[in-house]
Amino acid sequence: MRNKLLVFALALVIGVTGCSKNPSLVEEPEGPTTGVVEVSGDITANTNWTADKIYLLKGNIFVTNNTTLTIAPGTIIKGDKATKGALIISRGSKINAAGTVDKPIVFTSSQASGARTPGDWGGLIILGKAVSNNGTSANVEGIPASLGEKTLYGGTDNADNSGVLTYVRIEFAGIPLLPDVEINGLTLGGVGSGTVIDYVEVYRSGDDAFEFFGGSVNAKHLIAIGTVDDDFDTDNGYSGRVQFALAQRAQVVADVSGSNGFESDNNSAGSAVAPLTSAVFSNMTIVGPQLTATSTSGVNANFQHGVQIRRNSSMSLFNSIIGNYPEGIFIDDALPATGNNSSANFLSGALAIKGNLIYGSNTKSNEIKASSVATKALLETTLRAENSFVAGSSITELLTDPLKYGLDFKAAGNANAGTPDFTIKSGSVAATGAAFTNAKLTSGFEVVLYKGAFGTTNWAAGWANFDPQVLPYTTPGAVK
């Protein structure tokens, strides 16, 4: 205790990270994990985290006061399980987390190798001043509103800049802060297009992997592995563009609410409040939980759809691969809504689903699903004309080796241990045919020939990890 008090006193004087205005950082004496810096309380001054330390988040850590948190390449940040550690970038503040291929930045569990589980800690939340249909000051999901201004997102500036997030891994996040109220792996609330999101992996989130609440931020090269709930969740008028993103599911891990590759709402009530959720996705690869096109052995019964668009959303999807889900595309009008519903948005062209390959997603006889027989008949005609549905074929016909899993998954009943390869298989029909002529794709998208997240180049190599459960994370900078 005496040594800890001495360290704390020195930290107040000189600052353990070179920032004398931030007494919330305290360096602990060396133990099994060396160079640990405990972080508690708000960060209210510009702060640098460096790769020669490991940072332990204790409780909700808010970056406030229009300040910037800069995180060096190769830095390890752990979320404390006991205090439900989480990092929240409040609107007006920024995160500058620019990792590299060789030195990604890793947010992970504080638990030891072999003992980590989804929901070990909170996750990363970024809040901005971009437009939302939930008002200009909405409380972000999962954080108590009683904490005040620092929990709010939204505004009027769609070009708002919340910083940089590149070559970053977020592992084992999604802890319930309250019963049935979880944080996601990466939550983006009202984040503007001035923000850079590129090369980000969310591994085994206890809730959604990526959730966008309003805002206009664009993103590329996203990876979601073993998510419990939904991989890509869009709400409250999110209007950004996402290209080159992958999701791979574990067979036995799904949420009681029903797990989907995409889940998209306009808002929770399904009303037509503006702006409508109008996110545009292209070159996505969604690998479902089934090991073959027809086998449901060992697959959690809570898995649902590769794509579920509901509650008046106008989300669009192009040039993508959806495979091995129990059901394919569900345009859902079940929730009563004011004004148009999602199927009406589809029939009007506001919601577009074109040029996609949907393989092996029919074990429940719902390659195309709607809330009524009449609506399904209308959807069938257009969807089948503009996409390719192959019920009896597996996603393995398209991709090199998409059904390999880390030992973390093997322990849950999957015997296909190894490192997956999501690149296009030689001779695959996904190698050509991508089209970018639709008006929704003429700005902000890279024009490529292939469908899905990967061509022949594996952009996940070097920085992503598909079995981080085995990594010790006890030495600063040792992120591989």
Side-chain angles (χ1 to χ4, degrees), residues 55-191:
Y55 296 86
L56 180 64
L57 308 176
K58 305 202 81 171
N60 288 333
I61 309 302
F62 290 89
V63 180
T64 65
N65 200 35
N66 298 316
T67 59
T68 298
L69 171 63
T70 299
I71 305 176
T75 302
I76 297 170
I77 303 99
K78 296 183 178 182
D80 180 57
K81 187 168 186 175
T83 60
K84 302 181 179 181
L87 180 63
I88 304 101
I89 312 301
S90 295
R91 60 181 179 179
S93 293
K94 292 183 174 67
I95 183 170
N96 181 17
T100 66
V101 171
D102 297 325
K103 295 181 179 180
I105 293 165
V106 177
F107 293 83
T108 193
S109 167
S110 62
Q111 301 300 292
S113 172
R116 302 169 189 141
T117 60
D120 272 350
W121 63 289
L124 175 59
I125 297 174
I126 303 177
L127 306 178
K129 300 178 181 179
V131 173
S132 158
N133 65 27
N134 204 19
T136 56
S137 289
N139 183 71
V140 69
E141 180 181 86
I143 301 294
S146 59
L147 295 176
E149 166 69 27
K150 59 191 178 183
T151 73
L152 303 179
Y153 71 90
T156 59
D157 183 7
N158 268 346
D160 186 42
N161 180 359
S162 293
V164 175
L165 206 65
T166 57
Y167 293 107
V168 169
R169 299 203 305 259
I170 303 169
E171 303 166 355
F172 304 103
I175 200 168
L177 296 186
L178 297 169
D180 299 319
V181 179
E182 302 90 357
I183 299 179
N184 308 293
L186 177 60
T187 301
L188 300 165
V191 177

Side-chain angles (χ1 to χ4, degrees), residues 26 29 53 101 253 293 364 383 385 406 410:
V26 180
K53 300 287 192 300
V101 171
V253 181
K364 293 184 180 179
L383 279 172
K410 185 178 180 182

Side-chain angles (χ1 to χ4, degrees), residues 257-296:
S257 66
S259 296
N260 307 282
F262 291 92
E263 183 178 270
S264 185
D265 304 338
N266 190 47
N267 60 8
S268 59
S271 73
V273 61
L276 291 182
T277 297
S278 58
V280 181
F281 293 85
S282 183
N283 298 95
M284 309 290 288
T285 296
I286 308 296
V287 182
Q290 297 175 186
L291 296 181
T292 71
T294 58
S295 173
T296 59

Side-chain angles (χ1 to χ4, degrees), residues 96-372:
N96 181 17
T100 66
V101 171
D102 297 325
K103 295 181 179 180
I105 293 165
V106 177
F107 293 83
T108 193
S109 167
S110 62
Q111 301 300 292
S113 172
R116 302 169 189 141
T117 60
D120 272 350
W121 63 289
L124 175 59
I125 297 174
I126 303 177
L127 306 178
K129 300 178 181 179
V131 173
S132 158
N133 65 27
N134 204 19
T136 56
S137 289
N139 183 71
V140 69
E141 180 181 86
I143 301 294
S146 59
L147 295 176
E149 166 69 27
K150 59 191 178 183
T151 73
L152 303 179
Y153 71 90
T156 59
D157 183 7
N158 268 346
D160 186 42
N161 180 359
S162 293
V164 175
L165 206 65
T166 57
Y167 293 107
V168 169
R169 299 203 305 259
I170 303 169
E171 303 166 355
F172 304 103
I175 200 168
L177 296 186
L178 297 169
D180 299 319
V181 179
E182 302 90 357
I183 299 179
N184 308 293
L186 177 60
T187 301
L188 300 165
V191 177
S193 61
T195 309
V196 176
I197 307 287
D198 201 1
Y199 297 101
V200 178
E201 177 185 19
V202 174
Y203 183 88
R204 301 211 73 182
S205 171
D207 194 43
D208 298 332
F210 299 88
E211 185 155 12
F212 303 79
F213 292 98
S216 52
V217 65
N218 305 311
K220 287 187 176 182
H221 303 105
L222 306 181
I223 298 175
I225 303 295
T227 307
V228 171
D229 197 1
D230 306 311
D231 293 304
F232 301 99
D233 197 333
T234 55
D235 309 274
N236 296 120
Y238 172 55
S239 62
R241 300 180 294 267
V242 179
Q243 188 177 21
F244 309 125
L246 163 86
Q248 181 201 52
R249 303 307 292 245
Q251 283 64 50
V252 300
V253 181
D255 193 71
V256 293
S257 66
S259 296
N260 307 282
F262 291 92
E263 183 178 270
S264 185
D265 304 338
N266 190 47
N267 60 8
S268 59
S271 73
V273 61
L276 291 182
T277 297
S278 58
V280 181
F281 293 85
S282 183
N283 298 95
M284 309 290 288
T285 296
I286 308 296
V287 182
Q290 297 175 186
L291 296 181
T292 71
T294 58
S295 173
T296 59
S297 176
V299 175
N300 191 304
N302 291 317
F303 278 109
Q304 295 186 145
H305 320 95
V307 182
Q308 183 180 30
I309 303 175
R310 62 182 190 175
R311 295 177 178 172
N312 227 334
S313 172
S314 286
M315 183 203 108
S316 294
L317 179 66
F318 300 90
N319 303 318
S320 295
I321 297 170
I322 314 294
N324 295 42
Y325 256 87
E327 301 173 283
I329 296 174
F330 183 18
I331 299 182
D332 181 4
D333 298 331
L335 186 71
T338 302
N340 291 333
N341 50 40
S342 290
S343 62
N345 294 340
F346 173 75
L347 295 170
S348 73
L351 184 170
I353 301 176
K354 296 184 178 183
N356 303 295
L357 304 173
I358 299 90
Y359 271 51
S361 296
N362 198 36
T363 53
K364 293 184 180 179
S365 300
N366 282 317
E367 281 186 305
I368 297 172
K369 185 177 176 183
S371 300
S372 72

Side-chain angles (χ1 to χ4, degrees), residues 331 343 346 368-370 375-383:
I331 299 182
S343 62
F346 173 75
I368 297 172
K369 185 177 176 183
T375 301
K376 182 173 180 177
L378 292 171
L379 298 178
E380 283 266 1
T381 301
T382 303
L383 279 172

